[in-house]
Amino acid sequence: MADGSSPPGPDPVGPAPAVRPFLVTAGRVTAGHSGRTMPVETQVVATTEGLDALARLSFEQHDIVAACRLPQSIAELAARLRLHLNVVRVLAEDLRAEGQLTVHVPDSDATHDATVLRRLIDGLRAIPDSRKVPRDNGDNG
């Protein structure tokens, strides 16, 4: 927290790993044979095979598959597991290649479409502002 104290409750993922990222990925910095990295918004979901293989996976792979019982983005996984973003990218690609994760890469044309951004902004503006809610002035008596 800002004052240096810990947030309330137990830490859900434990302390940050002390292993260097290049050891976890065996020195690889790009995922797969394509050499292309997954966008941070890529959604990953554990497969049945992945969940069945949890006991046989390395620590980091285990944590990624276990966290992906529900869809997670690469960025969310990195933050949640306190792993370097590129480590998560490389390991997620390995897990995808082994059939333990399903990967859903967003359509790059849609993510760069200005109309999508405009609709998002319009939608946010349409949300009622909670500061404009009438206050109770004591006349409700």
Side-chain angles (χ1 to χ4, degrees):
M1 299 186 91
D3 62 0
S5 64
S6 298
D11 188 353
V13 294
V19 177
R20 298 270 185 200
F22 67 88
L23 292 176
V24 176
T25 63
R28 293 173 296 141
V29 293
T30 59
H33 300 291
S34 69
R36 296 174 55 208
T37 58
M38 290 183 198
V40 296
E41 65 272 15
T42 299
Q43 296 287 306
V44 290
V45 182
T47 62
T48 303
E49 294 82 8
L51 294 172
D52 290 344
L54 281 174
R56 299 185 305 272
L57 299 174
S58 71
F59 294 116
E60 295 81 11
Q61 289 177 329
H62 174 279
D63 290 348
I64 290 171
V65 173
C68 290
R69 286 183 169 96
L70 296 173
Q72 302 281 316
S73 73
I74 295 294
E76 289 171 315
L77 280 173
R80 182 176 191 190
L81 301 177
R82 298 182 182 179
L83 290 171
H84 190 280
L85 182 60
N86 282 336
V87 168
V88 174
R89 285 176 165 155
V90 170
L91 295 179
E93 179 60 33
D94 291 348
L95 291 164
R96 185 213 52 81
E98 295 168 11
Q100 295 164 346
L101 285 181
T102 301
V103 175
H104 304 279
V105 180
D107 179 12
S108 62
D109 292 334
T111 59
H112 294 100
D113 184 357
T115 60
V116 173
L117 184 56
R118 173 56 50 203
R119 288 192 342 242
L120 174 66
I121 291 170
D122 291 344
L124 290 172
R125 286 184 177 150
I127 297 172
D129 188 353
S130 62
R131 292 176 290 173
K132 294 180 183 175
V133 174
R135 293 186 179 155
D136 182 8
N137 61 8
D139 294 333
N140 294 351

